[in-house]
């Protein structure tokens, strides 16, 4: 479980930083089982981020951070020599806009990353209909895990899952 959480955390961090979940070089270096594990973890991020308890916690933490910024900003405005235009800045609105933009962009980044990984899979497999054998066991950690036949065209359900997840 710690390995799965680590992978998911790195995927969340990449998406929140507006970075690809994996580079093409990194992804192409994985065996077929690890490719599927990373793709499934990418889809799982959406499930995690839309879980009500996680949404509630994220909002609470965001509110705490916003309040800390506002407290700092009020002290900053009291420093002699601060330009008068600084007092016209609505820091609360700026923070909320930034936060909402960052969270909303995350879904787009996950969709783009998933589409890229499906494309890279299909290129390496020499076509979307070519079957590859995959051990479905979280990164090949269990050597006797079940073997599945996977085609690139099968993986589009992961992209569809992310795309169809309600993100509010």
């Amino acid at each position: 479980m710690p390995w799965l959480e680590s992978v998911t955390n790195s995927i969340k961090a990449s998406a929140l930083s507006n970075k690809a979940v994996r580079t093409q070089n990194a992804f192409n270096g994985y065996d077929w089982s690890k490719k599927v594990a990373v793709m499934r973890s990418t889809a799982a991020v959406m499930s995690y981020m839309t879980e009500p308890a996680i949404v509630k916690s994220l909002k609470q933490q965001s509110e705490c951070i916003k309040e800390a910024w506002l407290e700092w900003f009020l002290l900053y405005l009291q420093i002699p020599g601060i330009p008068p235009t600084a007092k016209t800045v609505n820091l609360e609105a700026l923070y909320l806009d930034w936060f909402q933009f960052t969270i909303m962009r995350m879904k787009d980044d996950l969709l783009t990353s998933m589409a890229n990984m499906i494309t890279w899979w299909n290129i390496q497999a020499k076509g979307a209909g070519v079957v590859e054998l995959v051990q479905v066991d979280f990164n090949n950690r269990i050597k006797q895990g079940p073997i599945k036949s996977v085609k690139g065209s099968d993986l589009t359900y992961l992209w569809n899952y992310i795309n169809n997840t309600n993100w509010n």
Side-chain angles (χ1 to χ4, degrees), residues 11 21 37-46 110 113-114 117 162:
I11 291 168
V21 167
V38 170
M39 294 170 82
R40 290 174 66 208
S41 294
T42 300
V45 167
M46 285 302 292
L110 291 171
S113 288
M114 184 64 73
M117 289 186 285
I162 295 170

Side-chain angles (χ1 to χ4, degrees), residues 122-147:
N122 291 336
I123 290 169
Q124 279 199 303
K126 309 283 191 262
V130 176
V131 172
E132 299 296 341
L133 297 178
V134 172
Q135 197 164 359
V136 184
D137 67 0
F138 302 116
N139 197 29
N140 249 353
R141 299 290 191 230
I142 305 169
K143 296 299 178 194
Q144 54 275 36
I147 302 293

